[in-house]
Amino acid sequence: HDVLRALTRTAEELQYAVELALDRIDEPGIIVAVDPGSRVHLDGHASSLAHARRAVQLAASIDGVTGVDSTVAVGVARPPDAYVG
């Protein structure tokens, strides 16, 4: 029954499961998207390389995820350009 459930999870259910797993590393800058083929795409930024790698590991560990692509940048997010008037 658990195997069937993992194979029939929707992209929305997988996204929620991945986001919940990523709460463990407390990196709000990581953005999660899941395509219809159940492949996870991670984007945004993480505070350290260890956290970026852990995010990929956690996403890959979710039942039903078929793969993980990551374009997560490491370091402090670049602030928006200052307004020059």
Side-chain angles (χ1 to χ4, degrees), residues 41-79:
H41 303 275
L42 302 176
D43 196 11
H45 68 276
S47 61
S48 70
L49 182 57
H51 280 180
R53 287 180 175 164
R54 185 68 180 135
V56 171
Q57 292 170 339
L58 287 169
S61 73
I62 302 298
D63 288 337
V65 169
T66 59
V68 180
D69 296 318
S70 177
T71 56
V72 173
V74 176
V76 179
R78 189 174 144 251

Side-chain angles (χ1 to χ4, degrees), residues 3-59:
V3 172
L4 264 180
R5 170 143 172 76
L7 294 175
T8 60
R9 283 177 139 176
T10 66
E12 292 80 16
E13 289 172 324
L14 286 173
Q15 181 166 340
Y16 177 75
V18 171
E19 289 171 346
L20 193 61
L22 293 186
D23 281 347
R24 295 183 205 162
I25 59 172
D26 192 27
E27 284 288 348
I30 297 177
I31 301 163
V32 178
V34 180
D35 68 26
S38 300
R39 189 165 190 86
V40 173
H41 303 275
L42 302 176
D43 196 11
H45 68 276
S47 61
S48 70
L49 182 57
H51 280 180
R53 287 180 175 164
R54 185 68 180 135
V56 171
Q57 292 170 339
L58 287 169

